[in-house]
Amino acid sequence: MSFSTWLRGLNIRPAVTNQFFSLAEPSNNNSLSDAKAMEQALISGAWYSISQTAAKAVSSLPIKLAVENAKGEFEEITEGDYYNLIFYPNKNQTLSELWELQSLYYFINGEFYNYHQRESIGFVDGEILSLPPEATTVLTSELGKILSTVTGYEFTDRGQVHNISPEDILHVKMPNPTLDGRESKNGLSPLQAGQNLLNGSINIETALAWYFENRGASMILSGDSSDPSMSLKSSDKAALELSLMQRLGGAFKMNKSVVTSTPIKATQLNASSSDMQMIDNQNLVIERLCALIDMPPILVGVNTSSTYNNVKEAKTQMATNLTIPTAERYIKGYDRTLLKEFTEATGKRHIMYVDKGEVDVLHPSSEEVRDQNRKDVEAGIMTPNEAREKSPLSLDPMNDPQAEELHFKTQTPVNGN
């Protein structure tokens, strides 16, 4: 049997192009539009994981609303119209759900727009909706002028244009030092600086997908080249290229062998060392993408040898450097819009804040507190009863004079000294 005969037995069909995967083109460092940033972010599995993790963390923070009383103290508000507008902004979302969506816009586009759709002009009522940045335009008094003022916003909803007054939009953005950004009053997407990294992540993910699609079998069994009748003729080349994908391709054929009924020899198809570097390269790209928003990469699964302690430290770092500062930037936006209206309507100052006392990762666990108390007693820093008083178990003091005294752990003598 010749190779031509063998190839004809493969039931060759024209190759089908997979349209789902496409290699990203290298960045030309042009300005990244909101629409393009969103498109790229949804193609990259790496950035989707990063932005989702960050958005969920920000939206899960304990946010409180309070009013300043006559003594200058802040009292938490837990009910009423103002409370409902903040914590139940529309009939489909709670504050947490709204913040998760606006955070995705914030981390992808570098800004978000919340529209206060009022039922009555001049009243604090209605709904708060998050508008897609790619469909929202800032209107200014003078086009292309840094010193121009914001006169309104234009939102295009499937061809229908809505003009919205500045008082009804909460626009929170990342600082944008570019000339275009200053003129257009838009935020700077972190993906602007990370375009090449984002393209890298898409290309690696695409390569991994095609690696398994094309890799297929781990061995090919062919005719012996010493037999002239089994040699591959040039006319067989095109047919062979078409047939190998069908016969060998597909992740479901991984580690299978291809067998012929002719005298054969086995050729092992091992992965090259460069192929196996793709996972390492992917982790490196994810680390650099995480750095764009100051997120510890361990929280998106980069470090497979993570432990409880370093994950907890990473969560604490993210809360300190990313999620709480981001939430406080949102709150500053509320300060100059809704909270300002609440204050003017009531004559009492209204504030929102992150209740850091309820952020678990900022505080040691009960086991860690008990362990530290034990060490402090052994070091003579506190008495046993002081440790019992500070214990998360709320232990009663012992009726023992020694429990009120400092004790020092006896050091084991070395070499009898």
Side-chain angles (χ1 to χ4, degrees), residues 137-263:
T137 304
V138 182
L139 303 177
T140 58
S141 58
E142 294 183 85
L143 188 63
K145 296 289 185 66
I146 290 178
L147 298 180
S148 63
T149 58
V150 176
T151 59
Y153 298 86
E154 186 178 271
F155 173 58
T156 305
D157 188 6
R158 293 294 182 184
Q160 184 177 1
V161 178
H162 300 264
N163 287 302
I164 305 172
S165 67
E167 294 77 15
D168 293 335
I169 288 287
L170 167 57
H171 183 199
V172 176
K173 57 188 177 181
M174 293 186 179
N176 190 342
T178 67
L179 184 60
D180 287 344
R182 297 289 305 279
E183 292 172 350
S184 65
K185 316 300 184 187
N186 290 128
L188 180 66
S189 167
L191 298 182
Q192 177 68 56
Q195 282 188 74
N196 290 326
L197 289 170
L198 191 64
N199 282 323
S201 76
I202 295 171
N203 284 331
I204 291 172
E205 290 165 12
T206 303
L208 283 172
W210 276 110
Y211 173 78
F212 286 105
E213 185 70 21
N214 296 330
R215 174 77 170 88
S218 60
M219 179 182 294
I220 182 171
L221 303 177
S222 61
D224 191 344
S225 60
S226 62
D227 184 348
S229 66
M230 299 299 294
S231 62
L232 178 63
K233 298 180 175 60
S234 59
S235 59
D236 298 324
K237 181 180 178 182
L240 179 60
E241 289 177 346
L242 290 173
S243 66
L244 285 180
M245 176 63 73
Q246 180 183 347
R247 188 74 183 269
L248 307 181
F252 61 94
K253 295 177 183 176
M254 196 69 174
N255 291 325
K256 287 189 176 182
S257 300
V258 175
V259 181
T260 72
S261 59
T262 60

Side-chain angles (χ1 to χ4, degrees), residues 4 19 33 42 44 117 126 151 176 236 275 339 346:
S4 298
Q19 297 294 336
S33 69
L42 294 181
S44 169
Q117 192 173 38
T151 59
N176 190 342
D236 298 324
D275 290 337
L339 297 180
T346 64

Side-chain angles (χ1 to χ4, degrees), residues 3 5 22 24-25 52 61 91 114 130 151 157 177 186 194 212 231 244 255 318 336 368 379 381 385:
F3 249 103
T5 305
S22 61
E25 296 179 0
Q52 281 280 340
L61 289 171
K91 59 187 176 183
N114 283 355
S130 187
T151 59
D157 188 6
N186 290 128
F212 286 105
S231 62
L244 285 180
N255 291 325
M318 183 169 74
R336 53 184 165 82
E368 290 170 330
I381 296 174
N385 272 347

Side-chain angles (χ1 to χ4, degrees), residues 228-304:
S229 66
M230 299 299 294
S231 62
L232 178 63
K233 298 180 175 60
S234 59
S235 59
D236 298 324
K237 181 180 178 182
L240 179 60
E241 289 177 346
L242 290 173
S243 66
L244 285 180
M245 176 63 73
Q246 180 183 347
R247 188 74 183 269
L248 307 181
F252 61 94
K253 295 177 183 176
M254 196 69 174
N255 291 325
K256 287 189 176 182
S257 300
V258 175
V259 181
T260 72
S261 59
T262 60
I264 57 175
K265 70 175 182 178
T267 303
Q268 192 70 35
L269 303 177
N270 292 325
S272 67
S273 58
S274 60
D275 290 337
M276 302 314 294
Q277 288 291 323
M278 280 190 291
I279 297 297
D280 291 337
N281 292 338
Q282 185 182 39
N283 286 342
L284 178 60
V285 170
I286 292 175
E287 288 179 4
R288 298 306 306 149
L289 285 171
C290 284
L292 293 176
I293 59 172
D294 210 357
M295 172 184 283
I298 191 175
L299 298 180
V300 287
V302 170
N303 187 348
T304 56

